[in-house]
Amino acid sequence: TGDGTFTPTSSFSVQYLVIGGGGGASYDRAGGGGAGGFLTGNSTLSSGTYPITVGTGGLGGGKTGVHGGNSGVDSTFNGLTAYGGGRGGVNNFQAENGGSGGGANWEVSTVGTGISGQGNSGGVRDGGHTSVGTGGGGAGIANPITGSTIGELSSGTYYVAGGGGGGAFQAVSGVGGIGGGGDGGTSSAKTGQDGLANTGSGGGSAYGGAGDDGGSGGLGVVIIKF
């Protein structure tokens, strides 16, 4: 759940899950933050020291003193890079690309593009609903490492890397994607919700205008099973 090293003393066959930090969202009909990139597979490691970097989530707009949110930070292990999620778009801050891309805001239809093999692009704006932002992209994949304690479900299957919900103004905001995506704000709780920590999920956009912070992206994670 943080930077460190993995130091096998002999040859290990490992299964890995590497997720980048989630992207942040903003306010005023902004797009939701995209989830961090999702990488999983198997590898054989020789004895030695393997540095690990766990990417932080991007801060939401308003929390950083600026209108636009921030994209998430990459996570790395054994030559692999799971890219941070793209921030959600807002006004003149275009949605950014990432592991999964950020959602479009109500005014600019451009969405962030996801990295092939790591995630998906942000939601495409519906031209008939110009007062809402779209959701951030997510991995759309269940965590394959049995026994993990991350994620938001307790049934034995854990989901990670959910996109953040889009924001609205005088309308209904979006719900975050399964796996920890932050919900968009509501008329009664306007602040966008943060992505769930250690799932790399994106932050949800705030309901209203300036003064209501967008949600931050969730911290990424590196899991090694051996």
Side-chain angles (χ1 to χ4, degrees):
T1 57
D3 295 350
T5 56
F6 180 63
T7 312
T9 57
S10 61
S11 180
F12 279 173
S13 228
V14 304
Q15 186 181 12
Y16 59 82
L17 174 65
V18 183
I19 301 176
S26 192
Y27 49 84
D28 190 15
R29 294 161 281 186
F38 178 106
L39 290 173
T40 189
N42 298 281
S43 185
T44 299
L45 306 180
S46 58
S47 61
T49 300
Y50 296 84
I52 293 171
T53 301
V54 174
T56 56
L59 286 174
K63 297 181 179 180
T64 57
V66 296
H67 197 178
N70 293 271
S71 293
V73 178
D74 302 344
S75 293
T76 62
F77 165 67
N78 191 32
L80 301 168
T81 300
Y83 292 94
R87 74 175 178 201
V90 55
N91 293 351
N92 58 328
F93 293 89
Q94 183 171 305
E96 291 192 341
N97 303 333
S100 283
N105 79 309
W106 72 280
E107 193 173 45
V108 179
S109 60
T110 304
V111 302
T113 302
I115 302 296
S116 177
Q118 296 200 18
N120 293 288
S121 299
V124 177
R125 193 183 68 177
D126 180 349
H129 295 83
T130 56
S131 292
V132 296
T134 68
I141 304 171
N143 174 13
I145 297 184
T146 303
S148 168
T149 57
I150 64 173
E152 60 181 2
L153 303 179
S154 58
S155 63
T157 299
Y158 297 87
Y159 291 83
V160 292
F169 191 79
Q170 306 295 333
V172 178
S173 296
V175 175
I178 189 171
D183 292 344
T186 66
S187 58
S188 58
K190 296 184 178 182
T191 298
Q193 299 301 299
D194 295 341
L196 187 64
N198 297 123
T199 69
S201 296
S205 174
Y207 174 85
D212 301 313
D213 293 344
S216 297
L219 183 71
V221 73
V222 176
I223 296 177
I224 303 163
K225 179 180 178 180
F226 61 92

